Amino acid sequence: MAGTPEWLRRVLPWVVFAASIAATVVVVRQRGEDFELLAALDVRATLLLVVLQGVYLVVQSGRFHVVLVKLGGARIEAWPWLRLFVLGRFLNLFLPQAGNVYRGVELKRRFGVGYTRFVAAFANAPWTAMVLNFGIGAAVVALTQPAERIGPWPLGLLLACAAFAAALVPFALVPMLRLIPRRFRLLEWLHVRLSETLHVTLASLRDRVYLGRVLAWTLAAFVQAVVMLWVCFSAFGVEVGLAEAVAFYVLLQLATYLVVTPGNLGVQELAFAGLATSMGAAAVEGIAVSGLLRVTGVMALLLLALPFGGVEALRTSRSTRHA
């Protein structure tokens, strides 16, 4: 932000904060029918889900923080990163990847994390999460409910195959990078950035301490989220086993990282309905669970993002005033 007028640097964070409040009002109005789900639910179950969603955000932030510190090459405290993580997730509600751009810019400005390093962390975090969650899910299902199936296929086998396929992705990219022509400046730049991102990602796999910390955070997120899914089904009076909760959590992870529409609105509901049908349940149950997860997730995000946005604006305003 070098060269930016001081008054603009002070005012801009507050403009963003005010815009976030206005955007919150828009979300509540546009998704009013979703919030009507809460009227038919037990208040205690709804409040518990909001709390669990808040804890889920914190745990996700902690796991991403481990990856960011390792690959970013900078000292970043957990508390400032939690604020950036939550505000980024909030911005992603309205425009896909807007929150990720915001995180990258702020990490560069405040902590000196290069954009390539941030992209490497941004690519590494969901990749390791998916590989580990698929693997953990496969192990849990194999040990507890090995007969559980999705259509004609064993659930445990599907999760194991998904873990294996996801683990191969960065290694498959190595020969593909060689196919990118480098005759033009843009393609040369793209080749260099992708190569550096891939190199940093693969190099991190040799650090056992780092991998152990990532695994610990992933296990914590896995257990907490499976409990959250079980509570969500129970709120509708639907009984599910551990394997079913694991399957829905893995699908929720994919919906979190593979964003097609803002907030994956409609896509997540369709996926949950399809999974519920393939497991012998009613499609409406999957849609209802997805809706409840979305509503309580937005509520938890608002409860965290709005205070964090105000604190961030105040911090930025004071820092520029004394700069």
Side-chain angles (χ1 to χ4, degrees):
M1 296 181 69
T4 304
E6 182 178 342
W7 68 268
L8 182 59
R9 296 173 63 186
R10 289 200 303 266
V11 171
L12 186 59
W14 291 103
V15 172
V16 174
F17 180 46
S20 68
I21 296 177
T24 300
V25 175
V26 171
V27 169
V28 173
R29 294 188 62 180
Q30 289 184 344
R31 302 183 182 179
E33 65 276 6
D34 288 339
F35 283 84
E36 292 175 3
L37 282 169
L38 302 179
L41 299 173
D42 180 73
V43 175
R44 289 173 297 180
T46 303
L47 292 177
L48 177 58
L49 279 170
V50 173
V51 172
L52 289 173
Q53 291 275 20
V55 173
Y56 184 58
L57 281 171
V58 174
V59 174
Q60 281 189 311
S61 172
R63 187 180 55 76
F64 204 137
H65 180 253
V66 172
V67 177
L68 184 61
V69 170
K70 172 65 178 177
L71 302 187
R75 180 177 176 82
I76 305 169
E77 300 296 333
W79 178 249
W81 165 247
L82 176 61
R83 293 202 302 266
L84 289 179
F85 180 83
V86 170
L87 290 174
R89 182 65 63 84
F90 179 78
L91 292 174
N92 281 342
L93 282 176
F94 309 102
L95 184 65
Q97 307 307 324
N100 299 321
V101 173
Y102 164 76
R103 292 169 186 163
V105 172
E106 286 296 291
L107 287 169
K108 174 70 172 179
R109 182 178 68 87
R110 293 168 53 183
F111 302 103
V113 177
Y115 293 126
T116 301
R117 288 277 179 166
F118 171 71
V119 170
F122 177 71
N124 186 285
W127 173 66
T128 54
M130 284 191 284
V131 172
L132 291 175
N133 279 306
F134 282 140
I136 295 170
V140 170
V141 171
L143 292 173
T144 60
Q145 293 178 259
E148 187 65 37
R149 309 176 78 85
I150 292 184
W153 300 285
L155 175 59
L157 178 61
L158 288 176
L159 292 175
C161 291
F164 180 73
L168 291 179
V169 169
F171 301 97
L173 288 175
V174 173
M176 292 178 61
L177 280 176
R178 300 192 185 102
L179 301 178
I180 297 179
R182 286 179 273 180
R183 295 189 300 271
F184 304 101
R185 181 175 299 178
L186 177 61
L187 292 178
E188 172 67 19
W189 178 88
L190 179 62
H191 186 278
V192 172
R193 293 298 177 270
L194 288 176
S195 297
E196 184 176 347
T197 298
L198 186 58
H199 172 74
V200 171
T201 297
L202 295 178
S204 69
L205 300 180
R206 294 191 289 268
D207 189 336
R208 294 183 179 180
V209 175
Y210 161 72
L211 291 178
R213 295 183 65 191
V214 171
L215 177 60
W217 278 104
T218 305
L219 278 171
F222 185 91
V223 172
Q224 190 270 337
V226 168
V227 171
M228 181 174 68
L229 264 296
W230 183 84
V231 172
C232 193
F233 275 99
S234 298
F236 290 104
V238 179
E239 294 185 4
V240 295
L242 181 59
E244 290 89 345
V246 167
F248 274 94
Y249 170 57
V250 171
L251 188 59
L252 181 63
Q253 279 280 286
L254 290 174
T256 299
Y257 293 120
L258 303 178
V259 180
V260 179
T261 63
N264 262 345
L265 187 63
V267 177
Q268 179 177 302
E269 282 69 26
L270 181 62
F272 270 52
L275 181 57
T277 302
S278 66
M279 300 181 77
V284 67
E285 293 176 355
I287 295 175
V289 167
S290 177
L292 181 56
L293 284 173
R294 188 181 298 282
V295 171
T296 54
V298 169
M299 291 176 66
L301 191 54
L302 296 182
L303 290 174
L304 289 174
L306 293 182
F308 281 174
V311 170
E312 190 73 8
L314 183 61
R315 185 203 63 78
T316 304
S317 180
R318 286 178 174 175
S319 65
T320 55
R321 188 180 302 121
H322 294 93

